[in-house]
């Protein structure tokens, strides 16, 4: 899930960075940074940094200036600054042990008091949840369409496997029949 999410966020960023008709070389360098409280790769690194490399020649890097970094707050290997280490401590245990984490803690406290920011954050969370639900619904419809197209699944099996209602499946079936006739 995390690797596909990084790819998705990269695509969203790139789309927002160029206006229609602009040249690709106007794309600036990008960094996608995920802060994880788990070690996705189970290697113990504090930081995992990714750039595109040629499989036939690992020394050859695709110079698209896109970097993805996964910060592992549970890491134990690698070199990180004292500020980043104190940030990890703050994320993991809410420990304020440096000027840097004090600034972060103060900003978070301020934002929590700001009702406008809190409302916007709640709206953003709701929007993200809606997008996830919509994505899952689209995926269910796609699966149902494939099952209907194969013709070897009963309506009951499609209902059980997709979670769609009989009405939804009947509508898909009718829509597919209309598309075939067109």
């Amino acid at each position: 899930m995390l690797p596909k999410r990084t790819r998705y966020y990269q695509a969203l960023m790139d789309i927002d960075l160029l206006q229609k008709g602009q040249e690709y070389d106007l794309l600036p360098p990008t960094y996608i940074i995920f802060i994880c409280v788990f070690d996705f790769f189970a290697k113990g690194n504090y930081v995992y940094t990714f750039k595109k490399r040629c499989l036939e020649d690992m020394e050859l890097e695709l110079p698209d200036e896109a970097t993805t970094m996964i910060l592992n707050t549970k890491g134990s290997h690698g070199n990180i600054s004292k500020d980043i280490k104190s940030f990890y401590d703050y994320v993991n245990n809410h420990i304020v042990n440096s000027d840097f984490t004090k600034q972060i803690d103060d900003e978070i406290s301020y934002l929590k008091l700001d009702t406008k920011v809190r409302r916007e954050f709640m709206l953003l969370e709701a929007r993200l949840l809606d997008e996830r639900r919509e994505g899952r619904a689209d995926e269910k419809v796609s699966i149902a369409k494939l099952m209907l197209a194969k013709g070897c699944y009963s309506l009951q099996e499609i209902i059980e496997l997709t979670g769609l209602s009989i009405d939804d499946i009947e509508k898909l079936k009718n829509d597919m029949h209309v598309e075939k006739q067109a």
Side-chain angles (χ1 to χ4, degrees):
M1 184 75 153
L2 183 66
K4 295 281 178 139
R5 186 177 292 185
T6 66
R7 181 173 154 195
Y8 176 72
Y9 288 157
Q10 181 67 56
L12 287 179
M13 262 183 20
D14 287 346
I15 285 172
D16 287 343
L17 288 170
L18 283 183
Q19 299 299 317
K20 187 176 180 178
Q22 284 186 309
E23 298 294 322
Y24 295 119
D25 61 349
L26 293 175
L27 280 171
T30 59
Y31 291 86
I32 295 181
I33 301 172
F34 279 85
I35 301 167
C36 297
V37 294
F38 58 91
D39 188 352
F40 182 82
F41 299 100
K43 300 282 186 183
N45 292 1
Y46 285 121
V47 179
Y48 298 94
T49 305
F50 296 92
K51 290 185 166 269
K52 295 178 187 151
R53 299 227 176 257
C54 175
L55 295 178
E56 292 76 20
D57 180 354
M58 293 303 276
E59 296 295 315
L60 185 59
E61 180 182 315
L62 185 67
D64 64 355
E65 298 182 299
T67 303
T68 300
M69 296 176 76
I70 299 173
L71 307 183
N72 172 23
T73 66
K74 304 291 186 188
S76 57
H77 307 321
N79 296 320
I80 56 174
S81 70
K82 287 181 183 177
D83 280 341
I84 297 298
K85 180 64 177 129
S86 68
F87 173 69
Y88 283 9
D89 290 340
Y90 181 80
V91 170
N92 289 330
N93 305 308
H94 201 72
I95 296 172
V96 176
N97 59 9
S98 71
D99 289 340
F100 181 57
T101 52
K102 174 79 172 109
Q103 287 177 319
I104 292 170
D105 192 58
D106 288 347
E107 189 65 27
I108 289 171
S109 296
Y110 172 75
L111 291 173
K112 284 181 178 178
L113 294 174
D114 188 328
T115 55
K116 182 180 176 189
V117 170
R118 196 168 64 232
R119 190 175 331 111
E120 287 177 13
F121 181 74
M122 289 171 64
L123 287 171
L124 174 64
E125 279 187 322
R127 206 171 318 130
L128 289 172
L129 182 59
D130 288 346
E131 285 178 12
R132 275 189 231 121
R133 285 184 184 144
E134 187 177 310
R136 283 189 216 121
D138 290 345
E139 186 177 345
K140 288 178 180 184
V141 167
S142 295
I143 291 168
K145 282 183 176 180
L146 287 171
M147 294 174 81
L148 287 167
K150 285 215 176 246
C152 59
Y153 295 95
S154 70
L155 287 179
Q156 189 58 38
E157 288 173 317
I158 297 171
I159 291 168
E160 288 174 17
L161 294 172
T162 64
L164 294 174
S165 71
I166 184 109
D167 292 337
D168 291 337
I169 294 169
E170 289 291 348
K171 185 177 180 327
L172 282 174
K173 200 173 175 183
N174 290 337
D175 291 348
M176 290 171 68
H177 182 71
V178 168
E179 286 174 11
K180 278 185 185 178
Q181 291 180 340

